[in-house]
Amino acid sequence: MNWTKRYPGWAMFAAMIGLLVFLWGMAVPLSAAPAPIGPAADQFVEGARITVGLTLIAGSVGVVIGVLAGLGKLSRFGPLRWLCDSYVWLIRGTPLLLQILFVWLAFPLLMPEGIELSDFACAAIALSLNVGAYNTECVRAGILAVPHGQVEAARALGLTPIQTFMDVVLPQSMRVALPALANNLASLVKDSSLAYAISVVELTMVGYRVQAESYQPIPVFITVAAIYLILTTAFTTLTAALEAQLDVGQKR
Amino acid sequence: MNGELRPIIEARRVDKRFGAFHALKDVSATFYEGQVTAIVGPSGSGKSTFLRTLNRLEMHDSGEIVVDGIVLNDNLKNLDAIRREVGMVFQSFNLFSHLTILRNVSLAPMRVRKMRREDAESKAMSLLERVGLKNQAAKYPVQLSGGQQQRVAIARALAMDPKVLLFDEPTSALDPEMVNEVLAVMRELAYSGITMLVVTHEMGFAREVADRIIFFDEGVILEDTTPERFFANPEHDRAKSFLSQVRHGY
Ligand SMILES: Nc1ncnc2c1ncn2[C@@H]1O[C@H](COP(=O)(O)OP(=O)(O)O)[C@@H](O)[C@H]1O
Ligand SMILES: [Mg+2]
């Protein structure tokens, strides 16, 4: 952790490269492993890629949703505020599994004819909406934590409201919101496993299938757990480094 | 003397309420190019509110404010134009805490004046040199003392080449030993010919540097005169008691 604080740029770089190398190269040690892991190496790799894909997509879309809805919640325009409040209330008050099933089963009925969503897309949409609602609260708190004098200074210099938000308010609010956003991202790695319910073959589903074929749950689930731990560690390092990067100018 | 001076800010019958509280009562004043005006008065008398209506950080309820020929109203183009011409220095500095000193000074010229980064930064460096902080450019605001931060805030305001600089108690948040370094920069600015409106409790500075003193009391301008007359012979009892309090209290 100290290392991430001292060299945030390098830590971010290392975590990202590490993640890529891992996704690329994990097949090599896995296929060298004895049965039941070795023969199923490709499935594990594919499952890990799906899990990381879901996490990255829902993670990024979720941050955008969080910023927009967080701003919406602070809007002076009543209906917009109401809409964002309702969204957060709805998502936080219902189980993620229900949301995933809803997108999978109910969206096709609501969508116009001819548009078909893949199972993966359904999972990505549900996870984005879910993490977005949790991010909304963090972003809102972050924005409220920015002292009003910062906005006044920017406006007095002639910056437009959008420039003031992008150059001053957003970066400063992120410094406050980031630990909580990072938490949500780490949860997302694990929450994405619920996509198995709509037959997305992510990492947990792979483990389930492989142990069902081999009747050896212990080595299979240990392998799955190890892969999850490597993924969550990479994401945590990434966000901790980003935090250290943004922290610049706050302490020291 | 006013015949040869060009008005830069005209406030006519400006009125402002906060709910039931009447903060500015029919305030009128004209400020001329190159003039240094000290705005003094008891706490809560409306000095900050008046200053803040001039660049619309506060909206006035009625009356008219004209800055450099542009009427301050709901037209956003006018507002942007005015904010570019009027710089402001706050009591609490309000430097952008996530940006280096150099970025603090170069941000607005890049965003608002669309200056190229190198140009904005070399301009920022020369302004930092002017306030004596060239060697602090790479640091962050928290790493600087209050007096240094306020000097950066002055450089940041100057970077937009404003026609008028508004100061709202620029030394009130400072430890006593840092007040003079900020006043020295302001004195240099005043002599360079920039139009300045300074809300201050520093009577020594007001007396020495200002061309004009405005005394606020309970939302009205009670005296609008020269420093000589104001300090030697104030007309109103409220001004007399204010002066005697300031002399003994500050
Ligand atoms: N945003 C606000 N809401 C309500 N009252 C305010 C607000 N800003 C200032 N006031 C009130 O207006 C009066 C004048 O304030 P101000 O202009 O800051 O005085 P000064 O700068 O002379 O000390 C004070 O009584 C203050 O409480
Ligand atoms: Mg004040």
PDB file of all heavy atoms in Angstrom, chain A residues 44-77:
ATOM      1  N   PHE A  44     -11.720 -21.567 -17.797  1.00  0.00           N
ATOM      2  CA  PHE A  44     -11.396 -20.621 -16.717  1.00  0.00           C
ATOM      3  C   PHE A  44     -10.986 -19.269 -17.303  1.00  0.00           C
ATOM      4  O   PHE A  44     -11.398 -18.206 -16.823  1.00  0.00           O
ATOM      5  CB  PHE A  44     -10.267 -21.166 -15.826  1.00  0.00           C
ATOM      6  CG  PHE A  44     -10.725 -22.228 -14.862  1.00  0.00           C
ATOM      7  CD1 PHE A  44     -10.335 -23.552 -15.026  1.00  0.00           C
ATOM      8  CD2 PHE A  44     -11.556 -21.901 -13.792  1.00  0.00           C
ATOM      9  CE1 PHE A  44     -10.760 -24.533 -14.140  1.00  0.00           C
ATOM     10  CE2 PHE A  44     -11.987 -22.884 -12.902  1.00  0.00           C
ATOM     11  CZ  PHE A  44     -11.591 -24.197 -13.082  1.00  0.00           C
ATOM     12  N   VAL A  45     -10.145 -19.321 -18.339  1.00  0.00           N
ATOM     13  CA  VAL A  45      -9.683 -18.074 -18.956  1.00  0.00           C
ATOM     14  C   VAL A  45     -10.878 -17.296 -19.510  1.00  0.00           C
ATOM     15  O   VAL A  45     -11.034 -16.096 -19.264  1.00  0.00           O
ATOM     16  CB  VAL A  45      -8.668 -18.369 -20.081  1.00  0.00           C
ATOM     17  CG1 VAL A  45      -8.343 -17.093 -20.840  1.00  0.00           C
ATOM     18  CG2 VAL A  45      -7.408 -18.988 -19.493  1.00  0.00           C
ATOM     19  N   GLU A  46     -11.739 -18.008 -20.210  1.00  0.00           N
ATOM     20  CA  GLU A  46     -12.901 -17.355 -20.802  1.00  0.00           C
ATOM     21  C   GLU A  46     -13.792 -16.749 -19.707  1.00  0.00           C
ATOM     22  O   GLU A  46     -14.246 -15.610 -19.799  1.00  0.00           O
ATOM     23  CB  GLU A  46     -13.675 -18.388 -21.632  1.00  0.00           C
ATOM     24  CG  GLU A  46     -14.766 -17.809 -22.517  1.00  0.00           C
ATOM     25  CD  GLU A  46     -14.289 -16.658 -23.397  1.00  0.00           C
ATOM     26  OE1 GLU A  46     -13.104 -16.648 -23.790  1.00  0.00           O
ATOM     27  OE2 GLU A  46     -15.104 -15.765 -23.679  1.00  0.00           O
ATOM     28  N   GLY A  47     -13.998 -17.538 -18.640  1.00  0.00           N
ATOM     29  CA  GLY A  47     -14.826 -17.057 -17.524  1.00  0.00           C
ATOM     30  C   GLY A  47     -14.238 -15.808 -16.883  1.00  0.00           C
ATOM     31  O   GLY A  47     -14.951 -14.836 -16.599  1.00  0.00           O
ATOM     32  N   ALA A  48     -12.910 -15.803 -16.691  1.00  0.00           N
ATOM     33  CA  ALA A  48     -12.258 -14.646 -16.077  1.00  0.00           C
ATOM     34  C   ALA A  48     -12.405 -13.425 -16.981  1.00  0.00           C
ATOM     35  O   ALA A  48     -12.644 -12.308 -16.516  1.00  0.00           O
ATOM     36  CB  ALA A  48     -10.790 -14.942 -15.809  1.00  0.00           C
ATOM     37  N   ARG A  49     -12.284 -13.639 -18.289  1.00  0.00           N
ATOM     38  CA  ARG A  49     -12.412 -12.505 -19.220  1.00  0.00           C
ATOM     39  C   ARG A  49     -13.818 -11.930 -19.172  1.00  0.00           C
ATOM     40  O   ARG A  49     -14.003 -10.717 -19.222  1.00  0.00           O
ATOM     41  CB  ARG A  49     -12.069 -12.946 -20.643  1.00  0.00           C
ATOM     42  CG  ARG A  49     -10.569 -13.067 -20.810  1.00  0.00           C
ATOM     43  CD  ARG A  49     -10.182 -13.315 -22.249  1.00  0.00           C
ATOM     44  NE  ARG A  49      -8.762 -13.679 -22.284  1.00  0.00           N
ATOM     45  CZ  ARG A  49      -8.177 -14.323 -23.287  1.00  0.00           C
ATOM     46  NH1 ARG A  49      -8.885 -14.682 -24.340  1.00  0.00           N
ATOM     47  NH2 ARG A  49      -6.890 -14.588 -23.229  1.00  0.00           N
ATOM     48  N   ILE A  50     -14.816 -12.813 -19.092  1.00  0.00           N
ATOM     49  CA  ILE A  50     -16.205 -12.330 -19.014  1.00  0.00           C
ATOM     50  C   ILE A  50     -16.397 -11.525 -17.721  1.00  0.00           C
ATOM     51  O   ILE A  50     -16.989 -10.435 -17.725  1.00  0.00           O
ATOM     52  CB  ILE A  50     -17.190 -13.512 -19.045  1.00  0.00           C
ATOM     53  CG1 ILE A  50     -17.023 -14.319 -20.322  1.00  0.00           C
ATOM     54  CG2 ILE A  50     -18.616 -13.008 -18.846  1.00  0.00           C
ATOM     55  CD1 ILE A  50     -17.931 -13.968 -21.445  1.00  0.00           C
ATOM     56  N   THR A  51     -15.860 -12.063 -16.628  1.00  0.00           N
ATOM     57  CA  THR A  51     -15.990 -11.364 -15.344  1.00  0.00           C
ATOM     58  C   THR A  51     -15.333  -9.985 -15.403  1.00  0.00           C
ATOM     59  O   THR A  51     -15.918  -8.978 -14.996  1.00  0.00           O
ATOM     60  CB  THR A  51     -15.365 -12.218 -14.225  1.00  0.00           C
ATOM     61  OG1 THR A  51     -16.175 -13.381 -14.049  1.00  0.00           O
ATOM     62  CG2 THR A  51     -15.293 -11.452 -12.919  1.00  0.00           C
ATOM     63  N   VAL A  52     -14.100  -9.935 -15.947  1.00  0.00           N
ATOM     64  CA  VAL A  52     -13.407  -8.646 -16.046  1.00  0.00           C
ATOM     65  C   VAL A  52     -14.151  -7.719 -17.008  1.00  0.00           C
ATOM     66  O   VAL A  52     -14.308  -6.516 -16.744  1.00  0.00           O
ATOM     67  CB  VAL A  52     -11.949  -8.851 -16.503  1.00  0.00           C
ATOM     68  CG1 VAL A  52     -11.298  -7.523 -16.852  1.00  0.00           C
ATOM     69  CG2 VAL A  52     -11.158  -9.552 -15.412  1.00  0.00           C
ATOM     70  N   GLY A  53     -14.659  -8.283 -18.105  1.00  0.00           N
ATOM     71  CA  GLY A  53     -15.405  -7.470 -19.067  1.00  0.00           C
ATOM     72  C   GLY A  53     -16.622  -6.837 -18.424  1.00  0.00           C
ATOM     73  O   GLY A  53     -16.849  -5.628 -18.553  1.00  0.00           O
ATOM     74  N   LEU A  54     -17.397  -7.666 -17.703  1.00  0.00           N
ATOM     75  CA  LEU A  54     -18.576  -7.130 -17.021  1.00  0.00           C
ATOM     76  C   LEU A  54     -18.189  -6.042 -16.029  1.00  0.00           C
ATOM     77  O   LEU A  54     -18.818  -4.992 -15.935  1.00  0.00           O
ATOM     78  CB  LEU A  54     -19.308  -8.256 -16.273  1.00  0.00           C
ATOM     79  CG  LEU A  54     -20.241  -9.160 -17.072  1.00  0.00           C
ATOM     80  CD1 LEU A  54     -20.796 -10.266 -16.187  1.00  0.00           C
ATOM     81  CD2 LEU A  54     -21.379  -8.340 -17.680  1.00  0.00           C
ATOM     82  N   THR A  55     -17.108  -6.305 -15.282  1.00  0.00           N
ATOM     83  CA  THR A  55     -16.680  -5.344 -14.267  1.00  0.00           C
ATOM     84  C   THR A  55     -16.260  -4.021 -14.903  1.00  0.00           C
ATOM     85  O   THR A  55     -16.647  -2.942 -14.436  1.00  0.00           O
ATOM     86  CB  THR A  55     -15.500  -5.916 -13.460  1.00  0.00           C
ATOM     87  OG1 THR A  55     -15.901  -7.160 -12.900  1.00  0.00           O
ATOM     88  CG2 THR A  55     -15.070  -4.961 -12.363  1.00  0.00           C
ATOM     89  N   LEU A  56     -15.459  -4.098 -15.982  1.00  0.00           N
ATOM     90  CA  LEU A  56     -14.972  -2.861 -16.602  1.00  0.00           C
ATOM     91  C   LEU A  56     -16.104  -2.078 -17.242  1.00  0.00           C
ATOM     92  O   LEU A  56     -16.188  -0.855 -17.093  1.00  0.00           O
ATOM     93  CB  LEU A  56     -13.888  -3.174 -17.643  1.00  0.00           C
ATOM     94  CG  LEU A  56     -12.547  -3.632 -17.070  1.00  0.00           C
ATOM     95  CD1 LEU A  56     -11.547  -3.908 -18.188  1.00  0.00           C
ATOM     96  CD2 LEU A  56     -11.982  -2.574 -16.114  1.00  0.00           C
ATOM     97  N   ILE A  57     -16.998  -2.783 -17.939  1.00  0.00           N
ATOM     98  CA  ILE A  57     -18.101  -2.082 -18.608  1.00  0.00           C
ATOM     99  C   ILE A  57     -19.034  -1.464 -17.559  1.00  0.00           C
ATOM    100  O   ILE A  57     -19.294  -0.256 -17.564  1.00  0.00           O
ATOM    101  CB  ILE A  57     -18.883  -3.034 -19.538  1.00  0.00           C
ATOM    102  CG1 ILE A  57     -18.011  -3.433 -20.720  1.00  0.00           C
ATOM    103  CG2 ILE A  57     -20.167  -2.351 -20.032  1.00  0.00           C
ATOM    104  CD1 ILE A  57     -18.640  -4.505 -21.599  1.00  0.00           C
ATOM    105  N   ALA A  58     -19.521  -2.316 -16.639  1.00  0.00           N
ATOM    106  CA  ALA A  58     -20.461  -1.802 -15.637  1.00  0.00           C
ATOM    107  C   ALA A  58     -19.772  -0.778 -14.737  1.00  0.00           C
ATOM    108  O   ALA A  58     -20.381   0.202 -14.311  1.00  0.00           O
ATOM    109  CB  ALA A  58     -21.027  -2.943 -14.809  1.00  0.00           C
ATOM    110  N   GLY A  59     -18.471  -0.979 -14.476  1.00  0.00           N
ATOM    111  CA  GLY A  59     -17.726  -0.029 -13.648  1.00  0.00           C
ATOM    112  C   GLY A  59     -17.665   1.341 -14.302  1.00  0.00           C
ATOM    113  O   GLY A  59     -17.931   2.361 -13.657  1.00  0.00           O
ATOM    114  N   SER A  60     -17.337   1.396 -15.602  1.00  0.00           N
ATOM    115  CA  SER A  60     -17.225   2.715 -16.247  1.00  0.00           C
ATOM    116  C   SER A  60     -18.596   3.345 -16.479  1.00  0.00           C
ATOM    117  O   SER A  60     -18.790   4.522 -16.193  1.00  0.00           O
ATOM    118  CB  SER A  60     -16.469   2.649 -17.581  1.00  0.00           C
ATOM    119  OG  SER A  60     -15.837   1.426 -17.750  1.00  0.00           O
ATOM    120  N   VAL A  61     -19.532   2.545 -16.998  1.00  0.00           N
ATOM    121  CA  VAL A  61     -20.870   3.110 -17.201  1.00  0.00           C
ATOM    122  C   VAL A  61     -21.445   3.557 -15.855  1.00  0.00           C
ATOM    123  O   VAL A  61     -22.073   4.612 -15.747  1.00  0.00           O
ATOM    124  CB  VAL A  61     -21.807   2.091 -17.888  1.00  0.00           C
ATOM    125  CG1 VAL A  61     -23.219   2.656 -18.009  1.00  0.00           C
ATOM    126  CG2 VAL A  61     -21.273   1.714 -19.257  1.00  0.00           C
ATOM    127  N   GLY A  62     -21.176   2.754 -14.820  1.00  0.00           N
ATOM    128  CA  GLY A  62     -21.688   3.081 -13.488  1.00  0.00           C
ATOM    129  C   GLY A  62     -21.141   4.399 -12.955  1.00  0.00           C
ATOM    130  O   GLY A  62     -21.846   5.127 -12.256  1.00  0.00           O
ATOM    131  N   VAL A  63     -19.879   4.722 -13.279  1.00  0.00           N
ATOM    132  CA  VAL A  63     -19.328   6.005 -12.826  1.00  0.00           C
ATOM    133  C   VAL A  63     -20.021   7.157 -13.553  1.00  0.00           C
ATOM    134  O   VAL A  63     -20.388   8.163 -12.947  1.00  0.00           O
ATOM    135  CB  VAL A  63     -17.798   6.066 -13.046  1.00  0.00           C
ATOM    136  CG1 VAL A  63     -17.285   7.483 -12.902  1.00  0.00           C
ATOM    137  CG2 VAL A  63     -17.096   5.155 -12.051  1.00  0.00           C
ATOM    138  N   VAL A  64     -20.235   6.976 -14.865  1.00  0.00           N
ATOM    139  CA  VAL A  64     -20.921   8.028 -15.626  1.00  0.00           C
ATOM    140  C   VAL A  64     -22.331   8.236 -15.076  1.00  0.00           C
ATOM    141  O   VAL A  64     -22.761   9.368 -14.829  1.00  0.00           O
ATOM    142  CB  VAL A  64     -20.958   7.675 -17.131  1.00  0.00           C
ATOM    143  CG1 VAL A  64     -21.782   8.699 -17.892  1.00  0.00           C
ATOM    144  CG2 VAL A  64     -19.552   7.592 -17.690  1.00  0.00           C
ATOM    145  N   ILE A  65     -23.049   7.102 -14.856  1.00  0.00           N
ATOM    146  CA  ILE A  65     -24.393   7.216 -14.286  1.00  0.00           C
ATOM    147  C   ILE A  65     -24.321   7.903 -12.920  1.00  0.00           C
ATOM    148  O   ILE A  65     -25.121   8.790 -12.612  1.00  0.00           O
ATOM    149  CB  ILE A  65     -25.050   5.818 -14.128  1.00  0.00           C
ATOM    150  CG1 ILE A  65     -25.299   5.194 -15.495  1.00  0.00           C
ATOM    151  CG2 ILE A  65     -26.366   5.928 -13.356  1.00  0.00           C
ATOM    152  CD1 ILE A  65     -25.901   3.799 -15.441  1.00  0.00           C
ATOM    153  N   GLY A  66     -23.350   7.494 -12.120  1.00  0.00           N
ATOM    154  CA  GLY A  66     -23.220   8.062 -10.779  1.00  0.00           C
ATOM    155  C   GLY A  66     -23.015   9.570 -10.816  1.00  0.00           C
ATOM    156  O   GLY A  66     -23.625  10.306 -10.037  1.00  0.00           O
ATOM    157  N   VAL A  67     -22.163  10.048 -11.741  1.00  0.00           N
ATOM    158  CA  VAL A  67     -21.914  11.490 -11.834  1.00  0.00           C
ATOM    159  C   VAL A  67     -23.174  12.218 -12.302  1.00  0.00           C
ATOM    160  O   VAL A  67     -23.572  13.239 -11.718  1.00  0.00           O
ATOM    161  CB  VAL A  67     -20.728  11.781 -12.792  1.00  0.00           C
ATOM    162  CG1 VAL A  67     -20.631  13.260 -13.085  1.00  0.00           C
ATOM    163  CG2 VAL A  67     -19.427  11.279 -12.182  1.00  0.00           C
ATOM    164  N   LEU A  68     -23.828  11.668 -13.338  1.00  0.00           N
ATOM    165  CA  LEU A  68     -25.020  12.340 -13.861  1.00  0.00           C
ATOM    166  C   LEU A  68     -26.148  12.343 -12.831  1.00  0.00           C
ATOM    167  O   LEU A  68     -26.769  13.381 -12.575  1.00  0.00           O
ATOM    168  CB  LEU A  68     -25.490  11.655 -15.158  1.00  0.00           C
ATOM    169  CG  LEU A  68     -24.529  11.785 -16.342  1.00  0.00           C
ATOM    170  CD1 LEU A  68     -25.056  11.024 -17.556  1.00  0.00           C
ATOM    171  CD2 LEU A  68     -24.304  13.253 -16.693  1.00  0.00           C
ATOM    172  N   ALA A  69     -26.399  11.179 -12.225  1.00  0.00           N
ATOM    173  CA  ALA A  69     -27.505  11.114 -11.262  1.00  0.00           C
ATOM    174  C   ALA A  69     -27.154  11.866  -9.978  1.00  0.00           C
ATOM    175  O   ALA A  69     -28.026  12.451  -9.335  1.00  0.00           O
ATOM    176  CB  ALA A  69     -27.853   9.662 -10.959  1.00  0.00           C
ATOM    177  N   GLY A  70     -25.856  11.858  -9.626  1.00  0.00           N
ATOM    178  CA  GLY A  70     -25.436  12.609  -8.444  1.00  0.00           C
ATOM    179  C   GLY A  70     -25.673  14.098  -8.651  1.00  0.00           C
ATOM    180  O   GLY A  70     -26.140  14.810  -7.763  1.00  0.00           O
ATOM    181  N   LEU A  71     -25.346  14.583  -9.859  1.00  0.00           N
ATOM    182  CA  LEU A  71     -25.636  15.983 -10.201  1.00  0.00           C
ATOM    183  C   LEU A  71     -27.135  16.216 -10.212  1.00  0.00           C
ATOM    184  O   LEU A  71     -27.620  17.237  -9.714  1.00  0.00           O
ATOM    185  CB  LEU A  71     -25.090  16.285 -11.592  1.00  0.00           C
ATOM    186  CG  LEU A  71     -23.759  16.985 -11.704  1.00  0.00           C
ATOM    187  CD1 LEU A  71     -23.436  17.225 -13.166  1.00  0.00           C
ATOM    188  CD2 LEU A  71     -23.807  18.300 -10.952  1.00  0.00           C
ATOM    189  N   GLY A  72     -27.883  15.251 -10.789  1.00  0.00           N
ATOM    190  CA  GLY A  72     -29.333  15.375 -10.879  1.00  0.00           C
ATOM    191  C   GLY A  72     -29.968  15.508  -9.512  1.00  0.00           C
ATOM    192  O   GLY A  72     -30.895  16.286  -9.310  1.00  0.00           O
ATOM    193  N   LYS A  73     -29.431  14.759  -8.562  1.00  0.00           N
ATOM    194  CA  LYS A  73     -29.988  14.818  -7.208  1.00  0.00           C
ATOM    195  C   LYS A  73     -29.781  16.190  -6.578  1.00  0.00           C
ATOM    196  O   LYS A  73     -30.485  16.569  -5.653  1.00  0.00           O
ATOM    197  CB  LYS A  73     -29.310  13.756  -6.320  1.00  0.00           C
ATOM    198  CG  LYS A  73     -30.008  12.425  -6.352  1.00  0.00           C
ATOM    199  CD  LYS A  73     -29.408  11.474  -5.344  1.00  0.00           C
ATOM    200  CE  LYS A  73     -30.046  11.631  -4.003  1.00  0.00           C
ATOM    201  NZ  LYS A  73     -30.687  10.446  -3.483  1.00  0.00           N
ATOM    202  N   LEU A  74     -28.761  16.923  -7.065  1.00  0.00           N
ATOM    203  CA  LEU A  74     -28.480  18.252  -6.513  1.00  0.00           C
ATOM    204  C   LEU A  74     -29.081  19.354  -7.379  1.00  0.00           C
ATOM    205  O   LEU A  74     -28.893  20.538  -7.103  1.00  0.00           O
ATOM    206  CB  LEU A  74     -26.967  18.464  -6.409  1.00  0.00           C
ATOM    207  CG  LEU A  74     -26.253  17.519  -5.435  1.00  0.00           C
ATOM    208  CD1 LEU A  74     -24.744  17.642  -5.578  1.00  0.00           C
ATOM    209  CD2 LEU A  74     -26.671  17.833  -4.019  1.00  0.00           C
ATOM    210  N   SER A  75     -29.795  18.948  -8.422  1.00  0.00           N
ATOM    211  CA  SER A  75     -30.335  19.934  -9.358  1.00  0.00           C
ATOM    212  C   SER A  75     -31.384  20.819  -8.689  1.00  0.00           C
ATOM    213  O   SER A  75     -32.040  20.433  -7.732  1.00  0.00           O
ATOM    214  CB  SER A  75     -30.953  19.211 -10.554  1.00  0.00           C
ATOM    215  OG  SER A  75     -31.840  20.062 -11.235  1.00  0.00           O
ATOM    216  N   ARG A  76     -31.534  22.025  -9.243  1.00  0.00           N
ATOM    217  CA  ARG A  76     -32.569  22.920  -8.745  1.00  0.00           C
ATOM    218  C   ARG A  76     -33.919  22.579  -9.375  1.00  0.00           C
ATOM    219  O   ARG A  76     -34.945  23.088  -8.979  1.00  0.00           O
ATOM    220  CB  ARG A  76     -32.198  24.380  -9.077  1.00  0.00           C
ATOM    221  CG  ARG A  76     -31.790  25.171  -7.838  1.00  0.00           C
ATOM    222  CD  ARG A  76     -31.249  26.537  -8.226  1.00  0.00           C
ATOM    223  NE  ARG A  76     -29.875  26.437  -8.688  1.00  0.00           N
ATOM    224  CZ  ARG A  76     -29.215  27.441  -9.256  1.00  0.00           C
ATOM    225  NH1 ARG A  76     -29.788  28.593  -9.451  1.00  0.00           N
ATOM    226  NH2 ARG A  76     -27.964  27.277  -9.634  1.00  0.00           N
ATOM    227  N   PHE A  77     -33.881  21.698 -10.395  1.00  0.00           N
ATOM    228  CA  PHE A  77     -35.082  21.344 -11.148  1.00  0.00           C
ATOM    229  C   PHE A  77     -35.770  20.151 -10.471  1.00  0.00           C
ATOM    230  O   PHE A  77     -35.254  19.029 -10.500  1.00  0.00           O
ATOM    231  CB  PHE A  77     -34.672  21.031 -12.586  1.00  0.00           C
ATOM    232  CG  PHE A  77     -35.823  20.738 -13.499  1.00  0.00           C
ATOM    233  CD1 PHE A  77     -36.868  21.636 -13.651  1.00  0.00           C
ATOM    234  CD2 PHE A  77     -35.859  19.552 -14.219  1.00  0.00           C
ATOM    235  CE1 PHE A  77     -37.922  21.363 -14.505  1.00  0.00           C
ATOM    236  CE2 PHE A  77     -36.908  19.268 -15.073  1.00  0.00           C
ATOM    237  CZ  PHE A  77     -37.946  20.177 -15.213  1.00  0.00           C
TER     238      PHE A  77
END
